[in-house]
Amino acid sequence: MDLTEEFEWRGRTVRWGRTGSGPAVVLCHGTPWSSQLWGPYAEALSDQFTVYLWDMPGYGLSSKLPEHRVSLDVQGELLADLLSYWELPSPHVVAHDYGGAVALRARLLHGCSFASLALVDVVALAPWGSDFFRLVRENADVFSAMPPAVHEGALRAYIAGASHRGLTPDQMQALVSPWLDATGQAAFYRQIAQADQRYTDEIQDLYPRLDLPVLVVWGTDDTWIPVDRAHRLTDLIPGAQLKLIEDAGHLVQLDQPVQLAMTLHRWLTAQALLGR
């Protein structure tokens, strides 16, 4: 699915696309990914839903200007304005990784209404951020200036750890290629440098106030955000359902695509039938 549309927001260019017909579903990606990870799912859902894909500023096809902050607070505000721009009063939202915190902030701090929310291996509960995250945050300028070959080696090793089953060469290349040129390398380390746990600390105590259908989906072998977070998050959100996907790591979209597609299709179809 191509992102052929643009939304101008505070000097940033946000690329987005829409496909299908039916109830609105918005897919939110995480870091260091882009909407490309959700592309096959958007196509699969498009026969029953109108699916919206977008790249956060700093990612994918959206602008990556160094003077623009890409932290979670900014992305949450952007999502709220983007939903207003799309004239979606209450869409279904599916979010992965960072996208979970972005969607939760949009809902809890910026007044967005969602028909339902599916949270897939999301950043939502402290502590989060690997040793690599902490090292980069403390030395972002050094990492940004690394020779390209050294950067590529570190990037490939980092991304490989997100998959439990192992990535194919084509999958790996698709995931690393946006971050290999000079602009991409700087953008990659800028994301990590601005990854601040305080943006989830601000909303963590508000999760018991969520009053909408919520599905928590998690790969049982996620080493980036261990599965204990899934149980904690489900316990905090009233009425939340939990679906664990076996033999899947953080990149559950690639590790277990059939299981995830079936899970999301069942969830969204059930919510639509209930008239949400």
Side-chain angles (χ1 to χ4, degrees):
M1 175 178 167
D2 295 328
L3 304 189
T4 57
E5 306 293 331
E6 293 185 351
F7 173 54
E8 298 299 325
W9 187 81
R10 300 183 189 175
R12 300 159 175 83
T13 299
V14 179
R15 291 286 291 272
W16 65 276
R18 173 174 52 204
T19 186
S21 62
V25 175
V26 176
L27 301 176
C28 301
H29 71 83
T31 182
W33 327 116
S34 73
S35 62
Q36 182 184 45
L37 202 57
W38 282 127
Y41 295 84
E43 296 293 348
L45 291 167
S46 64
D47 61 338
Q48 291 180 258
F49 299 92
T50 303
V51 185
Y52 292 77
L53 280 180
W54 63 292
D55 282 340
M56 293 188 292
Y59 300 81
L61 298 176
S62 292
S63 58
K64 301 180 178 68
L65 297 178
E67 64 267 25
H68 290 153
R69 290 173 54 240
V70 294
S71 48
L72 286 171
D73 58 332
V74 172
Q75 308 289 8
E77 292 177 39
L78 166 58
L79 177 57
D81 287 347
L82 189 57
L83 294 180
S84 178
Y85 172 75
W86 287 334
E87 299 182 344
L88 299 180
S90 190
H92 301 277
V93 175
V94 178
H96 176 240
D97 185 80
Y98 242 42
V102 172
L104 286 165
R105 288 182 66 90
R107 168 78 181 193
L108 292 166
L109 300 183
H110 305 300
C112 291
S113 177
F114 302 156
S116 70
L117 179 59
L119 300 170
V120 183
D121 293 74
V122 293
V123 170
L125 295 172
W128 55 268
S130 65
D131 291 340
F132 179 72
F133 256 57
R134 287 186 285 274
L135 183 64
V136 170
R137 273 201 300 266
E138 295 166 4
N139 304 276
D141 292 341
V142 174
F143 277 88
S144 296
M146 283 198 307
V150 178
H151 162 66
E152 181 173 351
L155 178 64
R156 286 179 178 274
Y158 173 63
I159 287 178
S163 170
H164 175 66
R165 304 191 71 182
L167 300 171
T168 68
D170 286 345
Q171 289 171 338
M172 175 62 80
Q173 191 59 34
L175 294 173
V176 303
S177 59
W179 315 116
L180 293 181
D181 64 14
T183 298
Q185 180 173 341
F188 174 76
Y189 293 117
R190 193 157 55 244
Q191 297 158 21
I192 299 177
Q194 295 180 30
D196 194 326
Q197 187 177 289
R198 67 189 172 100
Y199 296 125
T200 54
D201 291 343
E202 288 175 353
I203 56 173
Q204 185 169 321
D205 290 342
L206 304 179
Y207 297 160
R209 301 184 190 178
L210 288 168
D211 57 352
L212 75 163
V214 175
L215 174 67
V216 177
V217 184
W218 224 271
T220 57
D221 297 285
D222 188 339
T223 58
W224 278 22
I225 311 178
V227 71
D228 70 286
R229 307 296 198 284
H231 295 281
R232 288 174 51 200
L233 189 57
T234 304
D235 289 343
L236 283 171
I237 300 173
Q241 300 179 35
L242 174 62
K243 171 63 177 177
L244 300 180
I245 297 183
E246 300 288 337
D247 198 27
H250 191 65
L251 281 172
V252 61
Q253 295 96 331
L254 301 180
D255 282 351
Q256 291 292 351
V258 174
Q259 286 294 320
L260 180 59
M262 291 174 59
T263 296
L264 294 177
H265 185 270
R266 281 196 297 262
W267 168 256
L268 292 168
T269 300
Q271 300 309 311
L273 288 173
L274 291 171
R276 297 190 174 106

